[in-house]
Amino acid sequence: MANEASYKHKKVINIGVVKELTGLSQRQIRYYEERKLIFPDRTSGGIRKYSFTDIEILMDIANKIEEGVQTREIRQEMVRKQSVNNEQHRKMIQGQINAHFGIRRK
Amino acid sequence: MANEASYKHKKVINIGVVKELTGLSQRQIRYYEERKLIFPDRTSGGIRKYSFTDIEILMDIANKIEEGVQTREIRQEMVRKQSVNNEQHRKMIQGQINAHFGIRRK
DNA sequence: CGTGTAAGGAATTCTGACACG
DNA sequence: CGTGTAAGGAATTCTGACACG
């Protein structure tokens, strides 16, 4: 059976449902994509497909917008967090490599 | 944050995606509904909405059909399993009630 | 019984633009 | 900057029916 968590990231949801689940307008949802805050997939016909993760992100965005944060700032924050994650991930991988090979000496 | 597992049961997926994910035709998917094997939601406009659970069920159905099992038999099997589950659930609840109140005596 | 298909219509989504600010 | 809206078109989905078997 497939990993359950993968459902969360699978892009299968139309904008109409995203609208229902987030309370945002289609205009808002598309605008946040234009501002590079979300990245839906597309069908061959051009229909946007979102994941549950996208929906969670959109709700976070909505909160920040309400607080007066600009999309530009939200975007910068996302990029920053991403590079932090990448760094943490790099360190973790390196740690695993060390655990396997690093300490041992001939 | 919402229970992650709830994503699995949320009916948000259009038949086109279900078709992609299961490899079944729209005709087949709709027919299995007619035979009461799956129960998608509907939008106010009448568009069917499926969950990831529905997709899993559809893949099970597809396997059984391939094995030559009739929809009628699959249906009966589902009903049987459901009543077993209900019975187990009843017993479990009763067990919890007993654990709380049953053993103690004044 | 289970599935394909053509038919016509309806619901949904898409883009680009104008508007306000 | 962020969002609403009317406009026209395209992609998607729906139902009921005929067909084969």
Side-chain angles (χ1 to χ4, degrees), chain A residues 10-26 29-30 47-52 54-56 58-59, chain B residues 7 9-15 17 41-44 47-52:
Chain A
K10 208 139 181 69
K11 310 236 176 192
V12 295
I13 307 175
N14 274 14
I15 198 167
V17 171
V18 175
K19 181 180 144 183
E20 297 302 315
L21 267 40
T22 62
L24 296 168
S25 68
Q26 300 194 179
I29 298 167
R30 295 197 189 106
I47 305 294
R48 272 170 268 249
K49 294 294 180 183
Y50 302 86
S51 67
F52 282 110
D54 290 330
I55 289 173
E56 290 182 352
L58 280 168
M59 299 182 81
Chain B
Y7 292 138
H9 298 96
K10 208 138 180 70
K11 308 233 177 195
V12 295
I13 307 175
N14 274 14
I15 198 167
V17 171
D41 280 355
R42 299 270 187 154
T43 66
S44 57
I47 306 294
R48 272 171 267 250
K49 296 293 181 184
Y50 302 86
S51 67
F52 283 110

